[in-house]
Amino acid sequence: MKVFVHDEALDRGGYPRECPFNTSRAGMTYRTLRSTGLLEGADRRVIAPVALTRTMLERFHEPAYLDALQRAGRGEHDLDALWMGLGSPDCPLFDDMYEYVSLAAGGSVTAAKLLLSGEAHIAFNPSGGFHHAHPGRAAGFCYVNDVVLACMTLADAGKRVLFLDVDAHHCDGVQDAFYERSDVMTVSVHESGKTLFPGTGFEEEIGHGEGRGYSVNFPLPVGTYDAALLRVFDRGVMPVIEAFDPDVIVMELGMDMLAGDPLAHLNLSNNAYADVVERIRGLGKPLLATGGGGYHVENTVRGWALCWSVLCGDQEDHDAMSFGMGGVMLETTEWSGGLRDRTLLSDAGRRGGVDSEIDATLERIYALVYPLHGIVPPARDR
Protein backbone atom coordinates (compact mmCIF):
# COMPACT_ATOMS: atom_id res chain seq x y z
CA MET A 1 0.00 0.00 0.00
CA LYS A 2 1.20 3.52 -0.86
CA VAL A 3 0.02 6.31 1.42
CA PHE A 4 0.03 10.04 0.68
CA VAL A 5 -0.15 12.00 3.95
CA HIS A 6 -2.05 15.27 3.76
CA ASP A 7 -4.88 17.23 5.32
CA GLU A 8 -6.64 20.37 4.10
CA ALA A 9 -5.87 21.97 7.46
CA LEU A 10 -2.28 22.32 6.22
CA ASP A 11 -3.52 24.50 3.36
CA ARG A 12 -4.76 27.09 5.82
CA GLY A 13 -2.43 29.41 7.71
CA GLY A 14 1.20 28.42 7.81
CA TYR A 15 4.32 30.46 7.22
CA PRO A 16 3.99 34.16 6.27
CA ARG A 17 3.43 34.80 2.58
CA GLU A 18 6.75 36.61 2.22
CA CYS A 19 8.69 33.62 3.59
CA PRO A 20 10.52 31.62 0.89
CA PHE A 21 9.26 28.39 2.51
CA ASN A 22 5.86 28.19 0.85
CA THR A 23 3.52 25.85 2.70
CA SER A 24 1.04 25.77 -0.18
CA ARG A 25 3.36 23.35 -2.02
CA ALA A 26 1.94 20.25 -0.36
CA GLY A 27 -1.66 21.13 -1.17
CA MET A 28 -0.71 22.00 -4.73
CA THR A 29 1.00 18.62 -5.05
CA TYR A 30 -2.10 16.90 -3.69
CA ARG A 31 -4.33 18.66 -6.22
CA THR A 32 -1.92 17.87 -9.06
CA LEU A 33 -1.95 14.19 -8.14
CA ARG A 34 -5.75 14.21 -7.92
CA SER A 35 -6.12 15.88 -11.31
CA THR A 36 -3.75 13.43 -12.99
CA GLY A 37 -5.23 10.32 -11.39
CA LEU A 38 -2.10 9.47 -9.45
CA LEU A 39 -3.97 9.05 -6.17
CA GLU A 40 -6.46 6.61 -7.68
CA GLY A 41 -6.25 2.85 -7.32
CA ALA A 42 -6.72 0.11 -4.77
CA ASP A 43 -3.03 0.22 -3.85
CA ARG A 44 -2.96 3.82 -2.58
CA ARG A 45 -4.69 5.95 0.03
CA VAL A 46 -4.68 9.50 1.36
CA ILE A 47 -4.26 9.64 5.16
CA ALA A 48 -4.53 12.70 7.39
CA PRO A 49 -1.57 13.40 9.70
CA VAL A 50 -1.93 13.17 13.46
CA ALA A 51 -0.45 16.16 15.26
CA LEU A 52 2.53 15.49 17.51
CA THR A 53 1.74 15.56 21.20
CA ARG A 54 3.85 17.45 23.70
CA THR A 55 5.15 14.13 25.03
CA MET A 56 6.26 13.08 21.56
CA LEU A 57 7.92 16.42 20.86
CA GLU A 58 9.83 16.21 24.14
CA ARG A 59 11.46 13.00 22.95
CA PHE A 60 13.81 15.30 21.02
CA HIS A 61 13.03 18.92 21.85
CA GLU A 62 13.76 20.75 25.09
CA PRO A 63 10.69 21.75 27.16
CA ALA A 64 11.83 25.37 27.45
CA TYR A 65 12.10 25.62 23.68
CA LEU A 66 8.63 24.14 23.16
CA ASP A 67 7.24 26.61 25.71
CA ALA A 68 8.80 29.48 23.76
CA LEU A 69 7.42 28.08 20.50
CA GLN A 70 3.91 27.98 21.96
CA ARG A 71 4.19 31.51 23.31
CA ALA A 72 5.51 32.79 19.99
CA GLY A 73 2.45 31.39 18.23
CA ARG A 74 0.32 33.50 20.57
CA GLY A 75 2.27 36.64 19.74
CA GLU A 76 4.46 36.54 22.87
CA HIS A 77 8.10 36.97 21.95
CA ASP A 78 11.16 37.84 24.00
CA LEU A 79 14.94 37.86 23.77
CA ASP A 80 15.22 34.26 24.98
CA ALA A 81 13.00 33.13 22.10
CA LEU A 82 15.15 35.05 19.65
CA TRP A 83 18.25 33.28 20.98
CA MET A 84 16.39 30.05 20.21
CA GLY A 85 16.03 31.13 16.58
CA LEU A 86 12.38 32.14 16.84
CA GLY A 87 11.61 35.37 15.03
CA SER A 88 14.80 35.27 12.95
CA PRO A 89 14.65 35.98 9.18
CA ASP A 90 14.60 32.25 8.36
CA CYS A 91 12.25 31.24 11.18
CA PRO A 92 9.55 33.94 11.22
CA LEU A 93 6.71 34.10 13.70
CA PHE A 94 3.11 33.43 12.68
CA ASP A 95 -0.20 32.76 14.39
CA ASP A 96 -0.69 29.27 15.85
CA MET A 97 2.77 28.23 14.68
CA TYR A 98 3.11 25.53 17.35
CA GLU A 99 -0.10 23.85 16.23
CA TYR A 100 0.76 24.17 12.54
CA VAL A 101 4.25 22.68 12.71
CA SER A 102 3.08 19.96 15.11
CA LEU A 103 0.55 18.84 12.49
CA ALA A 104 2.91 19.11 9.53
CA ALA A 105 5.67 17.26 11.36
CA GLY A 106 3.17 14.78 12.75
CA GLY A 107 2.65 13.49 9.23
CA SER A 108 6.08 11.89 9.24
CA VAL A 109 5.51 10.08 12.54
CA THR A 110 2.05 9.04 11.29
CA ALA A 111 3.77 7.60 8.21
CA ALA A 112 6.40 5.80 10.31
CA LYS A 113 3.69 4.11 12.37
CA LEU A 114 1.91 2.99 9.19
CA LEU A 115 5.12 1.36 8.00
CA LEU A 116 5.59 -0.38 11.34
CA SER A 117 2.03 -1.73 11.38
CA GLY A 118 2.32 -2.98 7.81
CA GLU A 119 -0.56 -0.77 6.68
CA ALA A 120 1.79 0.90 4.21
CA HIS A 121 4.96 -0.09 2.39
CA ILE A 122 5.56 3.40 0.99
CA ALA A 123 4.40 6.70 2.52
CA PHE A 124 4.99 10.31 1.47
CA ASN A 125 4.53 13.36 3.68
CA PRO A 126 5.29 16.40 1.48
CA SER A 127 4.70 18.72 4.45
CA GLY A 128 7.63 17.19 6.36
CA GLY A 129 11.39 17.35 6.07
CA PHE A 130 12.33 19.87 8.81
CA HIS A 131 15.89 18.60 9.01
CA HIS A 132 17.54 21.75 10.46
CA ALA A 133 15.61 21.90 13.75
CA HIS A 134 17.72 21.24 16.86
CA PRO A 135 16.57 20.23 20.36
CA GLY A 136 16.45 23.80 21.60
CA ARG A 137 16.75 25.91 18.48
CA ALA A 138 14.87 26.64 15.26
CA ALA A 139 16.85 27.15 12.06
CA GLY A 140 16.47 27.15 8.30
CA PHE A 141 12.63 27.35 8.24
CA CYS A 142 12.52 24.36 10.64
CA TYR A 143 10.90 24.52 14.08
CA VAL A 144 10.43 20.86 15.07
CA ASN A 145 12.40 17.99 13.59
CA ASP A 146 9.93 15.48 12.17
CA VAL A 147 12.73 13.47 10.55
CA VAL A 148 14.46 12.81 13.86
CA LEU A 149 11.17 11.88 15.54
CA ALA A 150 10.16 9.54 12.70
CA CYS A 151 13.58 7.85 12.76
CA MET A 152 13.33 7.50 16.55
CA THR A 153 9.90 5.91 16.20
CA LEU A 154 11.28 3.34 13.77
CA ALA A 155 14.48 2.71 15.74
CA ASP A 156 12.53 2.24 18.99
CA ALA A 157 10.73 -0.63 17.25
CA GLY A 158 14.08 -2.33 16.69
CA LYS A 159 14.53 -1.29 13.07
CA ARG A 160 17.82 -0.41 11.41
CA VAL A 161 17.01 2.96 9.89
CA LEU A 162 18.64 4.67 6.94
CA PHE A 163 17.98 8.38 6.58
CA LEU A 164 18.86 9.51 3.07
CA ASP A 165 18.74 13.27 2.58
CA VAL A 166 18.51 14.54 -0.99
CA ASP A 167 18.20 18.28 -0.48
CA ALA A 168 20.44 21.19 -1.39
CA HIS A 169 21.02 21.92 2.30
CA HIS A 170 22.83 19.57 4.69
CA CYS A 171 20.70 17.86 7.34
CA ASP A 172 22.66 19.18 10.32
CA GLY A 173 19.85 18.67 12.85
CA VAL A 174 19.38 15.03 11.94
CA GLN A 175 23.09 14.27 11.73
CA ASP A 176 23.70 15.75 15.17
CA ALA A 177 20.84 13.73 16.68
CA PHE A 178 22.28 10.39 15.59
CA TYR A 179 26.00 11.22 15.42
CA GLU A 180 26.92 8.67 18.11
CA ARG A 181 24.46 5.94 17.08
CA SER A 182 24.84 3.01 14.73
CA ASP A 183 21.18 1.99 14.48
CA VAL A 184 20.35 5.08 12.41
CA MET A 185 22.64 5.87 9.48
CA THR A 186 22.51 9.38 8.03
CA VAL A 187 23.54 9.80 4.39
CA SER A 188 23.32 13.31 2.99
CA VAL A 189 23.78 14.47 -0.60
CA HIS A 190 23.77 18.26 -0.67
CA GLU A 191 25.43 21.39 -1.98
CA SER A 192 28.75 21.92 -0.26
CA GLY A 193 28.77 23.88 2.97
CA LYS A 194 31.45 26.03 1.36
CA THR A 195 28.73 27.75 -0.66
CA LEU A 196 25.45 27.13 1.20
CA PHE A 197 23.75 27.16 4.61
CA PRO A 198 24.26 25.60 7.14
CA GLY A 199 27.98 25.33 6.34
CA THR A 200 28.26 21.72 7.49
CA GLY A 201 28.18 18.27 5.91
CA PHE A 202 31.79 17.75 4.87
CA GLU A 203 33.28 14.33 4.13
CA GLU A 204 35.18 14.24 7.43
CA GLU A 205 31.94 14.33 9.45
CA ILE A 206 31.57 10.55 9.80
CA GLY A 207 30.17 10.08 13.30
CA HIS A 208 31.69 9.51 16.72
CA GLY A 209 32.02 6.55 19.07
CA GLU A 210 29.49 3.86 18.19
CA GLY A 211 28.33 6.10 15.38
CA ARG A 212 31.69 6.27 13.62
CA GLY A 213 31.03 5.53 9.96
CA TYR A 214 27.27 6.01 10.27
CA SER A 215 27.20 9.63 9.15
CA VAL A 216 28.15 9.91 5.49
CA ASN A 217 28.25 13.16 3.53
CA PHE A 218 28.52 13.79 -0.19
CA PRO A 219 28.93 17.57 -0.67
CA LEU A 220 28.29 18.69 -4.25
CA PRO A 221 29.96 21.56 -6.08
CA VAL A 222 28.10 24.48 -7.59
CA GLY A 223 26.70 23.53 -10.99
CA THR A 224 26.27 19.80 -10.32
CA TYR A 225 24.24 18.31 -13.19
CA ASP A 226 22.15 15.14 -13.61
CA ALA A 227 24.82 12.68 -14.75
CA ALA A 228 27.20 13.89 -12.03
CA LEU A 229 24.61 13.35 -9.30
CA LEU A 230 23.82 9.87 -10.56
CA ARG A 231 27.52 9.00 -10.55
CA VAL A 232 27.65 10.04 -6.88
CA PHE A 233 24.73 7.71 -6.18
CA ASP A 234 25.92 4.74 -8.19
CA ARG A 235 29.56 4.90 -7.13
CA GLY A 236 29.26 6.38 -3.68
CA VAL A 237 25.85 6.26 -2.02
CA MET A 238 24.37 2.94 -3.11
CA PRO A 239 27.31 0.77 -1.90
CA VAL A 240 27.03 2.39 1.55
CA ILE A 241 23.28 1.76 1.73
CA GLU A 242 23.65 -1.84 0.58
CA ALA A 243 26.39 -2.50 3.14
CA PHE A 244 24.27 -1.03 5.96
CA ASP A 245 21.28 -3.11 4.79
CA PRO A 246 18.56 -1.11 6.57
CA ASP A 247 15.19 -2.47 7.59
CA VAL A 248 13.49 0.76 6.60
CA ILE A 249 14.44 3.92 4.71
CA VAL A 250 13.47 7.52 5.46
CA MET A 251 14.20 9.83 2.52
CA GLU A 252 14.00 13.61 2.33
CA LEU A 253 13.18 14.93 -1.14
CA GLY A 254 14.04 18.62 -1.07
CA MET A 255 13.52 20.08 -4.53
CA ASP A 256 16.00 22.93 -4.06
CA MET A 257 18.61 21.01 -6.04
CA LEU A 258 16.62 21.79 -9.18
CA ALA A 259 18.04 24.29 -11.64
CA GLY A 260 16.54 27.72 -11.10
CA ASP A 261 15.96 27.37 -7.36
CA PRO A 262 16.49 30.85 -5.89
CA LEU A 263 18.27 29.65 -2.74
CA ALA A 264 20.76 27.12 -4.15
CA HIS A 265 23.27 26.77 -6.97
CA LEU A 266 22.85 23.33 -8.54
CA ASN A 267 21.76 22.44 -12.07
CA LEU A 268 19.60 19.34 -11.79
CA SER A 269 16.39 18.41 -13.56
CA ASN A 270 13.67 16.42 -11.83
CA ASN A 271 14.66 13.48 -14.02
CA ALA A 272 17.66 13.01 -11.73
CA TYR A 273 15.35 12.89 -8.70
CA ALA A 274 13.18 10.32 -10.45
CA ASP A 275 16.23 8.16 -11.18
CA VAL A 276 17.41 8.39 -7.57
CA VAL A 277 13.97 7.49 -6.21
CA GLU A 278 13.79 4.55 -8.60
CA ARG A 279 17.13 3.26 -7.30
CA ILE A 280 15.97 3.50 -3.68
CA ARG A 281 12.56 2.02 -4.41
CA GLY A 282 14.32 -0.87 -6.14
CA LEU A 283 15.84 -1.94 -2.82
CA GLY A 284 12.39 -3.18 -1.82
CA LYS A 285 12.52 -1.72 1.70
CA PRO A 286 9.66 0.05 3.46
CA LEU A 287 10.11 3.69 2.55
CA LEU A 288 9.02 6.94 4.17
CA ALA A 289 9.55 10.01 1.98
CA THR A 290 9.20 13.60 3.12
CA GLY A 291 9.27 16.98 1.48
CA GLY A 292 11.90 19.54 2.38
CA GLY A 293 13.38 22.49 0.54
CA GLY A 294 12.23 23.77 -2.83
CA TYR A 295 11.74 27.48 -3.33
CA HIS A 296 10.60 27.57 -6.94
CA VAL A 297 7.07 26.50 -6.16
CA GLU A 298 5.91 25.19 -9.55
CA ASN A 299 9.11 23.18 -10.09
CA THR A 300 8.84 21.75 -6.59
CA VAL A 301 5.24 20.65 -7.07
CA ARG A 302 6.01 18.98 -10.38
CA GLY A 303 9.08 17.29 -8.90
CA TRP A 304 7.17 15.89 -5.91
CA ALA A 305 4.36 14.68 -8.17
CA LEU A 306 6.91 12.93 -10.37
CA CYS A 307 8.60 11.32 -7.36
CA TRP A 308 5.22 10.07 -6.11
CA SER A 309 4.55 8.50 -9.49
CA VAL A 310 7.94 6.76 -9.31
CA LEU A 311 7.25 5.56 -5.78
CA CYS A 312 3.98 4.08 -7.05
CA GLY A 313 5.72 2.46 -10.02
CA ASP A 314 3.49 4.03 -12.66
CA GLN A 315 5.44 7.06 -13.85
CA GLU A 316 6.02 5.67 -17.36
CA ASP A 317 2.32 5.30 -18.05
CA HIS A 318 1.66 8.73 -16.62
CA ASP A 319 4.42 10.36 -18.68
CA ALA A 320 2.97 8.92 -21.87
CA MET A 321 -0.53 10.03 -20.90
CA SER A 322 0.40 13.56 -19.82
CA PHE A 323 2.79 14.54 -22.59
CA GLY A 324 1.57 17.71 -24.20
CA MET A 325 -1.02 18.57 -21.59
CA GLY A 326 1.10 19.40 -18.58
CA GLY A 327 0.25 23.07 -18.90
CA VAL A 328 -3.43 22.30 -18.36
CA MET A 329 -3.16 19.52 -15.79
CA LEU A 330 -0.44 21.18 -13.70
CA GLU A 331 -2.05 24.64 -13.77
CA THR A 332 1.02 26.24 -15.31
CA THR A 333 2.07 27.27 -18.80
CA GLU A 334 5.80 27.08 -18.11
CA TRP A 335 6.31 23.57 -19.52
CA SER A 336 3.83 21.41 -21.39
CA GLY A 337 5.68 18.08 -21.34
CA GLY A 338 4.04 16.48 -18.33
CA LEU A 339 5.78 15.93 -15.00
CA ARG A 340 9.31 15.45 -16.30
CA ASP A 341 11.60 18.40 -16.94
CA ARG A 342 13.29 19.15 -20.21
CA THR A 343 16.78 17.70 -20.54
CA LEU A 344 19.14 20.39 -19.28
CA LEU A 345 22.38 21.23 -21.04
CA SER A 346 25.27 21.64 -18.63
CA ASP A 347 27.91 24.29 -19.10
CA ALA A 348 30.74 22.42 -20.81
CA GLY A 349 33.31 24.69 -19.21
CA ARG A 350 31.92 24.14 -15.71
CA ARG A 351 31.34 20.42 -16.21
CA GLY A 352 35.02 19.48 -15.98
CA GLY A 353 35.38 21.30 -12.68
CA VAL A 354 32.27 19.62 -11.29
CA ASP A 355 33.55 16.19 -12.27
CA SER A 356 36.95 16.81 -10.68
CA GLU A 357 35.41 17.94 -7.40
CA ILE A 358 33.09 14.95 -7.32
CA ASP A 359 36.01 12.61 -8.00
CA ALA A 360 37.81 14.10 -5.00
CA THR A 361 34.74 13.72 -2.77
CA LEU A 362 34.29 10.08 -3.75
CA GLU A 363 37.96 9.36 -3.06
CA ARG A 364 37.65 10.87 0.42
CA ILE A 365 34.58 8.75 1.16
CA TYR A 366 36.38 5.64 -0.12
CA ALA A 367 39.22 6.39 2.31
CA LEU A 368 37.21 7.53 5.34
CA VAL A 369 34.01 5.47 5.33
CA TYR A 370 34.29 2.45 3.06
CA PRO A 371 36.91 0.59 5.19
CA LEU A 372 34.67 0.92 8.26
CA HIS A 373 32.00 -1.13 6.50
CA GLY A 374 34.26 -3.49 4.55
CA ILE A 375 33.27 -1.95 1.20
CA VAL A 376 35.63 -2.29 -1.73
CA PRO A 377 35.72 0.95 -3.75
CA PRO A 378 34.68 0.56 -7.38
CA ALA A 379 37.29 0.73 -10.10
CA ARG A 380 37.82 4.22 -11.45
CA ASP A 381 35.66 4.94 -14.46
CA ARG A 382 37.28 8.16 -15.55
Side-chain angles (χ1 to χ4, degrees):
M1 180 66 69
K2 293 91 173 178
V3 170
F4 187 87
V5 182
H6 185 65
D7 189 278
E8 290 183 358
L10 294 168
D11 297 332
R12 300 186 291 272
Y15 293 42
R17 182 166 297 180
E18 63 272 15
C19 180
F21 194 92
N22 189 318
T23 50
S24 71
R25 300 170 306 159
M28 293 172 67
T29 303
Y30 170 78
R31 291 188 293 275
T32 295
L33 296 177
R34 275 286 183 218
S35 69
T36 51
L38 286 168
L39 292 176
E40 305 300 323
D43 65 337
R44 59 202 72 179
R45 298 168 58 197
V46 177
I47 296 290
V50 177
L52 295 171
T53 64
R54 176 67 182 241
T55 299
M56 185 65 186
L57 287 165
E58 286 187 6
R59 296 215 52 226
F60 179 63
H61 291 287
E62 296 170 3
Y65 169 71
L66 295 173
D67 290 342
L69 184 62
Q70 284 184 301
R71 291 196 301 271
R74 299 193 299 262
E76 303 170 22
H77 188 244
D78 55 25
L79 187 59
D80 287 341
L82 187 59
W83 279 110
M84 296 176 181
L86 300 172
S88 63
D90 61 335
C91 291
L93 305 181
F94 56 93
D95 291 341
D96 300 320
M97 58 193 301
Y98 177 90
E99 290 76 15
Y100 188 91
V101 298
S102 295
L103 182 62
S108 296
V109 174
T110 299
K113 291 178 178 179
L114 291 170
L115 296 185
L116 288 174
S117 69
E119 296 176 69
H121 185 70
I122 291 173
F124 181 28
N125 174 29
S127 293
F130 301 112
H131 58 178
H132 296 306
H134 293 267
R137 176 169 57 88
F141 311 127
C142 303
Y143 302 86
V144 299
N145 202 314
D146 62 305
V147 175
V148 168
L149 292 168
C151 288
M152 283 181 169
T153 299
L154 296 165
D156 287 349
K159 304 297 183 184
R160 285 168 61 82
V161 183
L162 171 79
F163 173 56
L164 173 61
D165 194 287
V166 185
D167 185 287
H169 300 83
H170 176 242
C171 56
D172 55 336
V174 184
Q175 176 176 285
D176 289 354
F178 300 111
Y179 206 62
E180 297 185 359
R181 291 176 59 166
S182 61
D183 55 340
V184 179
M185 173 180 273
T186 300
V187 178
S188 183
V189 184
H190 52 271
E191 183 177 333
S192 173
K194 295 176 182 177
T195 55
L196 196 67
F197 173 89
T200 55
F202 296 101
E203 299 92 333
E204 294 76 15
E205 298 168 30
I206 64 171
H208 183 264
E210 290 187 9
R212 182 173 171 80
Y214 292 89
S215 287
V216 191
N217 289 288
F218 294 87
L220 303 174
V222 169
T224 294
Y225 58 99
D226 287 7
L229 178 77
L230 295 176
R231 190 157 64 87
V232 167
F233 264 84
D234 291 339
R235 303 185 65 80
V237 175
M238 295 305 292
V240 170
I241 295 175
E242 290 164 359
F244 181 61
D245 191 23
D247 298 316
V248 61
I249 297 172
V250 178
M251 183 178 188
E252 177 152 340
L253 294 169
M255 289 291 150
D256 42 6
M257 284 187 172
L258 293 173
D261 191 277
L263 298 190
H265 315 94
L266 304 178
N267 194 44
L268 299 176
S269 76
N270 66 22
N271 301 297
Y273 279 88
D275 289 343
V276 165
V277 171
E278 183 60 42
R279 284 161 168 75
I280 301 304
R281 177 178 173 270
L283 296 173
K285 308 286 187 176
L287 174 59
L288 191 173
T290 75
Y295 307 98
H296 185 297
V297 174
E298 292 79 9
N299 288 352
T300 297
V301 169
R302 191 168 64 243
W304 282 345
L306 175 62
C307 286
W308 171 257
S309 73
V310 176
L311 290 170
C312 293
D314 55 10
Q315 77 280 4
E316 291 182 3
D317 291 341
H318 176 72
D319 286 344
M321 177 269 291
S322 65
F323 184 80
M325 63 186 205
V328 176
M329 300 298 281
L330 304 183
E331 301 176 359
T332 176
T333 59
E334 183 175 336
W335 170 227
S336 60
L339 295 177
R340 286 187 177 270
D341 285 340
R342 302 176 179 86
T343 299
L344 297 177
L345 298 177
S346 60
D347 183 329
R350 177 63 186 158
R351 181 169 178 155
V354 167
D355 291 342
S356 295
E357 290 189 50
I358 283 177
D359 283 343
T361 288
L362 289 173
E363 290 299 328
R364 284 192 285 271
I365 295 299
Y366 295 159
L368 291 166
V369 176
Y370 273 39
L372 300 176
H373 299 284
I375 308 172
V376 177
R380 289 183 63 89
D381 62 343
R382 288 165 30 78

